[in-house]
Amino acid sequence: MNKLSQLLLQGLLPATFALGTLSALAQSAERPKPISVDKRYENEIKALAKNASVKAAFKTILDLEPQTKQDLITLTEIPAPPFKEEVRGRKYAEMLRAAGADSVWTDEVGNVLARRKGRTGTKTVVMEAHLDTVFPEGTDVKVKQRGDTLLAPGIADDTRGLAMVLSVLKTLEKTGLETEADVLFIGTVGEEGLGDLRGVKHLFSEKGPKIDSYIAVDGIGLGAVTNRGLGSHRYRITFKGPGGHSSGAFGLANPHNALGRAIHYFAVEADKFTKEGIRTTYNVGVIGGGTSVNSIPFESWMEVDMRSESPERVEGIDKLLQAAVQRALQEENQMKRIGANLTVDVKLIGERPAGGVDPSVALVQRSVAATRFLGTEPALRVGSTNSNIPFSKNVPAVTIGSGGKGGGAHALDEYWINDKAYLATQRALLLFLSETGIAKRKKGAVQ
């Protein structure tokens, strides 16, 4: 047992810190092969970084750090529970407008969009972070500072991303940098949990704007470049029956019995299925139902999550779940002695498509080149983020981190440390400008 594990077991390290560190050690031990980058993209990034206006922008990013920190605190302290992002969205729209966007609006589902027009507008590039957090109404989101550490639910996932996107817009405006392409800076709704990517799904619907490439900012750090989407199916499955007194109505079909069977049959078959082939996961995350110990429940329900980057594997494990549910329903109905049969309601509550962008695609190559230029070895990753939707639509997309260090994501003790986070903003700017192209400068801008 290593020293870090001993400290964790002895309670001398916070679990979130130790687990995150252990994970990082495990990843570093894998020693992934260096990613190949075409020289033209390396040269493109190097040329951008030598551009006088980009050098000025890099300095501006550093100068903006105190304001970016305050933006992070301001936004974090505005609750954004699932499906209730409106208040934070209004504030973010106000901040984007004040930063100098040409136009700012909120669409039908609550996404906040800020357009900055390019010289030619022949393409549209998006830079986006999500507004929502996983935390319910009533959660204390007041930011606490301990030394260089900021602590609050949602501060890293993904409020730091929102602050970084805003910083990029401010930098463009303050330095007078103009782009060839039109750009959209967006705060999306519904990225987390049962939000089911509803914000980005709307962006890519017939009601959404034209989008040619998509840069999502989610997570922290500098090295990761997500170019593959982890697909998922999520269900709420509810067995229903008449219910009754545990003794007086004994013999009725019991929804809890059916649910227990369904979980057992699914777990047994899913365990076999996931032992080979492309990595696939499953989880029964929430169960509920019943009214008292002496009552036969009238309903019993569970929520199930299944994931894989292979669409075929997601479909395969989904079929196992459906078969387990129907087998459990049939067996419980056959066993009942009196009363009506149970029924089951199978509701799809989340569907994230799998997909990805080949590492040779320009946006991925530029992401890798920009990361490497700033002194960090990049790693291509698979993830479940807003980029899943453009992946599935064959639109070039990546998800990049917002810099710094942190941990405790989705927990009340979530924290973030500004450890050279400006590098992530500089990377985002390089990647962004390589996609949009630099146009003629504004009159009077720094040369």
Side-chain angles (χ1 to χ4, degrees), residues 3-25:
K3 182 65 175 176
L4 190 59
S5 299
Q6 292 173 351
L7 290 172
L8 175 59
L9 289 175
Q10 293 167 11
L12 299 178
L13 279 178
T16 51
F17 171 84
L19 289 173
T21 307
L22 286 168
S23 176
L25 289 173

Side-chain angles (χ1 to χ4, degrees), residues 75-76 78-89 131-139 141 153 188-192 195 198:
L75 288 166
T76 300
I78 302 173
F83 300 97
K84 294 184 179 180
E85 305 97 333
E86 299 93 338
V87 178
R88 181 180 283 192
L131 291 162
D132 58 317
T133 72
V134 300
F135 302 97
E137 282 186 288
T139 302
V141 291
T188 57
V189 297
E191 194 276 341
E192 299 285 8
R198 74 181 192 281

Side-chain angles (χ1 to χ4, degrees), residues 45-293:
I45 293 297
K46 289 176 182 177
L48 272 174
K50 290 178 181 178
N51 184 297
S53 58
V54 175
K55 287 182 178 179
F58 272 24
K59 182 180 183 302
T60 298
I61 287 169
L62 283 168
D63 293 342
L64 283 171
E65 281 284 271
Q67 183 58 56
T68 302
K69 175 184 175 181
Q70 186 54 55
D71 290 340
L72 173 60
I73 292 171
T74 297
L75 288 166
T76 300
E77 292 183 345
I78 302 173
F83 300 97
K84 294 184 179 180
E85 305 97 333
E86 299 93 338
V87 178
R88 181 180 283 192
R90 285 197 295 270
K91 182 62 177 178
Y92 199 54
E94 176 188 313
M95 296 166 90
L96 289 166
R97 197 173 287 112
D102 293 322
S103 58
V104 180
W105 70 100
T106 301
D107 67 18
E108 297 93 325
V109 300
N111 295 317
V112 176
L113 298 91
R115 184 181 297 279
R116 191 173 189 268
K117 295 178 181 178
R119 184 171 67 179
T120 61
T122 53
K123 63 186 286 191
T124 299
V125 178
V126 166
M127 180 172 284
E128 168 271 326
H130 64 83
L131 291 162
D132 58 317
T133 72
V134 300
F135 302 97
E137 282 186 288
T139 302
D140 181 3
V141 291
K142 183 72 175 176
V143 177
K144 301 174 181 65
Q145 185 161 354
R146 297 175 187 166
D148 61 356
T149 303
L150 298 177
L151 300 98
I155 194 160
D157 185 13
D158 187 29
T159 319
R160 164 60 192 172
L162 292 171
M164 194 178 94
V165 170
L166 186 62
S167 180
V168 171
L169 172 57
K170 287 181 178 181
T171 298
L172 295 175
E173 288 297 310
K174 287 182 178 296
T175 57
L177 265 168
E178 294 292 341
T179 59
E180 289 288 347
D182 285 350
V183 298
L184 286 171
F185 296 97
I186 305 177
T188 57
V189 297
E191 194 276 341
E192 299 285 8
L194 297 182
D196 197 30
L197 306 185
R198 74 181 192 281
V200 71
K201 284 179 178 179
H202 183 81
L203 292 176
F204 282 90
S205 72
E206 65 282 356
K207 296 181 179 180
K210 171 180 174 288
I211 297 174
D212 296 290
S213 62
Y214 196 92
I215 302 167
V217 182
D218 199 354
I220 56 175
L222 182 62
V225 176
T226 300
N227 70 314
R228 305 185 327 270
L230 193 64
S232 65
H233 285 181
R234 292 169 177 171
Y235 285 95
R236 183 182 176 103
I237 295 169
T238 308
F239 290 94
K240 300 178 180 180
H245 193 280
S246 61
S247 178
F250 180 72
L252 287 176
N254 188 316
H256 281 351
N257 292 350
L259 185 76
R261 281 192 178 90
I263 293 172
H264 171 72
Y265 293 144
F266 173 57
V268 168
E269 295 305 316
D271 178 63
K272 299 175 187 175
F273 183 81
T274 57
K275 283 181 177 176
E276 58 185 15
I278 297 172
R279 185 174 186 268
T280 306
T281 65
Y282 61 96
N283 182 57
V284 178
V286 187
I287 59 175
T291 54
S292 71
V293 70

Side-chain angles (χ1 to χ4, degrees), residues 256-425:
H256 281 351
N257 292 350
L259 185 76
R261 281 192 178 90
I263 293 172
H264 171 72
Y265 293 144
F266 173 57
V268 168
E269 295 305 316
D271 178 63
K272 299 175 187 175
F273 183 81
T274 57
K275 283 181 177 176
E276 58 185 15
I278 297 172
R279 185 174 186 268
T280 306
T281 65
Y282 61 96
N283 182 57
V284 178
V286 187
I287 59 175
T291 54
S292 71
V293 70
N294 59 334
S295 299
I296 299 169
F298 59 86
E299 73 172 19
S300 185
W301 56 269
M302 64 177 170
E303 291 179 352
V304 185
D305 172 89
M306 300 165 287
R307 304 186 187 205
S308 178
E309 62 178 292
S310 162
E312 294 78 16
R313 297 284 287 173
V314 174
E315 291 296 332
I317 198 167
D318 190 309
K319 289 178 180 178
L320 296 180
L321 175 65
Q322 306 303 328
V325 168
Q326 293 304 316
R327 180 180 175 185
L329 177 69
Q330 182 180 13
E331 289 186 2
E332 181 62 20
N333 283 335
Q334 287 175 344
M335 197 174 78
K336 73 177 175 64
R337 302 179 186 180
I338 59 173
N341 282 345
L342 297 182
T343 60
V344 65
D345 177 44
V346 180
K347 182 180 181 182
L348 184 66
I349 58 173
E351 183 175 13
R352 299 189 178 203
V357 178
D358 191 272
S360 64
V361 169
L363 180 61
V364 182
Q365 290 277 294
R366 287 165 171 158
S367 301
V368 172
T371 305
R372 194 170 281 159
F373 176 80
L374 288 168
T376 297
E377 186 58 31
L380 297 181
R381 300 285 175 84
V382 60
S384 182
T385 70
N386 272 338
S387 289
N388 280 46
I389 301 304
F391 289 157
S392 71
K393 303 286 186 180
N394 295 316
V395 173
V398 291
T399 297
I400 58 174
S402 59
K405 295 179 180 178
H410 294 195
L412 294 175
D413 60 352
E414 187 172 346
Y415 68 93
W416 183 75
I417 302 169
N418 187 356
D419 181 16
K420 298 182 180 178
Y422 67 88
L423 290 173
T425 311

